[in-house]
Amino acid sequence: MEPGSEPQLDLSQETETLVKRLAGPSSGKAGLALDQTEINRIIADASKGSKFYDNEKRKDKELTERINRIKKEKDESMRGVDIRKVEAAVDQLLVQLQAQRDLSQIIVHVDMDAFFASVELLYNPELAGKPFGVGRGVLTTASYEARKYGVRSGMPGFIAKKLCPDLILVSNNFSRYSEMSAKVMDIFRRYDPNMCPAGSDEAYLNITEYSVRHGLTAEVCVQEMRKAVHAITQLTVSAGIAPNKNKPNGQFQIPFDSASIKAFMHHLSIRKVPGIGRVNERLLESIGIKTCGDIYMHRVVISVMDKRFGLKFLLQTHLGIASNIVEPHLREERKSIGAERTFSSLGDKEKILQKLQEIAAELEKDMSRNGWTGRTVTLKYKLDTYQVFTRAKTFDRYVFTKEELYLVSPFAACVQSYHE
């Protein structure tokens, strides 16, 4: 070994699942290199010995133990099962679900391209063509130039710097993003007043009525909408067009017929399905399901373990059937309102409490705008070990001002006691 050089991590020493976990939840983001092998090696090598690595290793071990218990449960559940009888029952359910398919609605999923990074470019054109990430402790997004190196959202800054030494890090400017998000959402509402936001940079729209009223095809209507967004904001948006709210990958239109939809879903990674995250992905992989097409092959196990995996949901996923009802979240359906911030590690009590005051002020603003009050205050926080904790406190009165939110925060007391 050359003097001063760092030993590289032999990935054979680590489990494949841990290496994949270290790569992060956003490894399927648009703009990333197709071959992730070398990128994953660098991530694992750079993570070794860090608090981030130790935390991910602990989580991977816990999930592996959980999977082993599920495998044992599966073996016990399958003993004595009449496989043909179960297959026939599931196939009958598939026929019933297929009969419920509705192809009459035009549903569009719109997603702003690298939203935070694109907004930063508007304010700092010098970043154009350069690899940069938004956020300092943990990245909230990365430019497409940075993604070529494997840099992505949810990645610790020190890992991102290992992948791309020339990476430029810029601070989050949430007020800018909120302002631009409001403009974009106003444009979307022209095409569907009842559209459903799915975050600050994406939404679901039902453009059926608008398309019919203006004599437009779905493709032309969406092109018009995307042009309107760019004309007003100078930002670009990708869109997926389908008869329901399943998300196509990028800008794409699925033909409105059952055969095409099922063909599209067949080879789609189970991880692409909304509602299936990294944990459920591994749980499903443990019984042989990696793509939506695999669901049918393993329908007996899913049926026998319905409470564990959700038979109806997975069968609908296999068929490419999802809700085509698009509407904003109703006030009575919403149970909570919150605000959060991501920042570099802080060890100074006063600085931590200052961050808490900023979050309380932002939450007060949102609550005031929507007419909200509450009696339970919950604080979620992440240590520099990447462990996440929550603390909650319920009162016999309603609170809503920033002063009340800050003073009654269970975390304020937690910080005080931690430093004392």
Side-chain angles (χ1 to χ4, degrees):
M1 183 185 302
E2 294 295 328
S5 64
E6 298 181 1
Q8 290 188 344
L9 176 68
D10 180 3
L11 295 191
S12 63
Q13 298 172 0
E14 307 300 323
T15 65
E16 180 183 345
T17 56
L18 175 56
V19 172
K20 187 175 181 179
R21 185 179 187 91
L22 290 168
S26 302
S27 56
K29 283 282 187 179
L32 293 172
L34 294 178
D35 184 5
Q36 297 287 306
T37 305
E38 178 63 12
I39 291 173
N40 290 350
R41 185 198 67 76
I42 296 173
I43 292 174
D45 189 44
S47 304
K48 188 71 170 179
S50 68
K51 294 177 181 179
F52 167 73
Y53 178 90
D54 293 339
N55 187 56
E56 292 301 304
K57 188 173 183 179
R58 176 184 59 80
K59 288 183 177 180
D60 182 71
K61 181 181 178 182
E62 291 173 353
L63 182 54
T64 298
E65 291 172 351
R66 180 182 172 190
I67 286 173
N68 288 336
R69 291 194 296 270
I70 290 175
K71 286 182 176 179
K72 184 178 180 181
E73 178 186 337
K74 183 193 79 170
D75 293 339
E76 293 174 351
S77 300
M78 290 298 291
R79 290 197 187 108
V81 170
D82 187 334
I83 294 179
R84 289 189 177 181
K85 183 178 180 180
V86 175
E87 285 180 341
V90 175
D91 289 346
Q92 183 59 38
L93 178 56
L94 279 167
V95 172
Q96 295 173 7
L97 292 173
Q98 176 63 40
Q100 298 170 9
R101 188 190 294 276
D102 182 3
L103 300 174
S104 66
Q105 304 299 300
I106 306 172
I107 309 300
V108 182
H109 172 246
V110 282
D111 194 351
M112 302 301 294
D113 299 327
F115 183 53
F116 289 3
S118 298
V119 173
E120 290 300 328
L121 277 172
L122 296 179
Y123 288 87
N124 189 357
E126 293 182 358
L127 291 172
K130 298 177 182 178
F132 71 93
V134 180
R136 297 190 180 276
V138 176
L139 302 189
T140 53
T141 193
S143 67
Y144 286 110
E145 290 78 11
R147 294 184 188 188
K148 294 175 183 177
Y149 294 88
V151 178
R152 62 194 75 132
S153 61
M155 177 175 284
F158 77 94
I159 299 292
K161 277 285 192 180
K162 284 284 186 178
L163 289 170
C164 180
D166 295 327
L167 183 71
I168 301 170
L169 294 178
V170 299
S171 298
N172 288 296
N173 291 283
F174 291 103
S175 59
R176 292 177 180 175
Y177 312 145
S178 296
E179 180 183 351
M180 196 61 72
S181 174
K183 292 181 180 180
V184 171
M185 295 301 165
D186 283 344
I187 297 171
F188 293 157
R189 288 189 181 91
R190 297 179 192 173
Y191 296 84
D192 178 9
N194 294 316
M195 71 92 182
C196 179
S200 63
D201 63 340
E202 63 178 310
Y204 289 101
L205 293 78
N206 186 333
I207 63 169
T208 309
E209 182 179 340
Y210 185 96
S211 298
V212 171
R213 190 167 68 246
H214 292 83
L216 302 174
T217 65
E219 184 178 6
V220 171
C221 182
V222 172
Q223 287 175 347
E224 177 188 293
M225 178 170 56
R226 293 175 62 239
K227 288 179 181 178
V229 170
H230 186 263
I232 293 175
T233 67
Q234 298 303 302
L235 299 175
T236 59
V237 56
S238 293
I241 308 167
N244 56 53
K245 292 194 290 188
N246 272 336
K247 289 198 251 184
N249 186 18
Q251 184 177 343
F252 185 74
Q253 177 169 351
I254 300 178
F256 281 46
D257 63 82
S258 297
S260 297
I261 294 170
K262 286 191 284 188
F264 173 82
M265 298 297 294
H266 186 77
H267 297 290
L268 191 70
S269 168
I270 201 73
R271 183 70 169 85
K272 296 285 187 180
V273 178
I276 297 181
R278 287 194 292 174
V279 172
N280 283 332
E281 177 189 25
R282 276 199 62 191
L283 294 178
L284 289 169
E285 285 182 350
S286 72
I287 62 170
I289 299 175
K290 292 187 176 182
T291 68
C292 296
D294 294 333
I295 293 172
Y296 184 75
M297 294 173 56
H298 298 277
R299 63 194 185 281
V300 173
V301 173
I302 300 171
S303 178
V304 172
M305 301 182 72
D306 182 15
K307 291 183 179 180
R308 173 73 68 180
F309 295 107
L311 176 64
K312 185 176 180 180
F313 168 72
L314 288 176
L315 291 181
Q316 289 176 321
T317 297
H318 166 70
L319 293 172
I321 295 176
S323 171
N324 61 6
I325 298 174
V326 177
E327 58 187 8
H329 298 297
L330 300 177
R331 179 185 171 89
E332 56 267 26
E333 293 177 344
R334 189 167 183 179
K335 303 298 183 182
S336 65
I337 185 171
E340 63 180 49
R341 281 287 181 271
T342 300
F343 45 85
S344 301
S345 298
L346 291 176
D348 184 274
K349 181 181 73 173
E350 295 305 320
K351 290 183 178 179
I352 294 175
L353 293 175
Q354 182 181 348
K355 287 290 183 183
L356 186 60
Q357 289 175 330
E358 293 173 3
I359 296 172
E362 180 185 348
L363 184 55
E364 178 200 44
K365 184 179 179 181
D366 290 342
M367 293 175 72
S368 176
R369 182 170 58 244
N370 295 290
W372 283 82
T373 60
R375 293 196 302 121
T376 299
V377 179
T378 302
L379 207 300
K380 182 175 74 172
Y381 60 98
K382 180 184 289 186
L383 301 182
D384 62 355
T385 59
Y386 292 86
Q387 292 175 287
V388 178
F389 297 89
T390 59
R391 296 288 185 271
K393 190 171 183 179
T394 300
F395 298 86
D396 57 4
R397 60 186 173 86
Y398 287 93
V399 297
F400 62 91
T401 68
K402 61 185 178 183
E403 290 81 12
E404 289 176 313
L405 292 169
Y406 172 74
L407 289 174
V408 304
S409 168
F411 189 59
C414 179
V415 172
Q416 295 282 2
S417 61
Y418 175 79
H419 281 272
E420 291 169 0

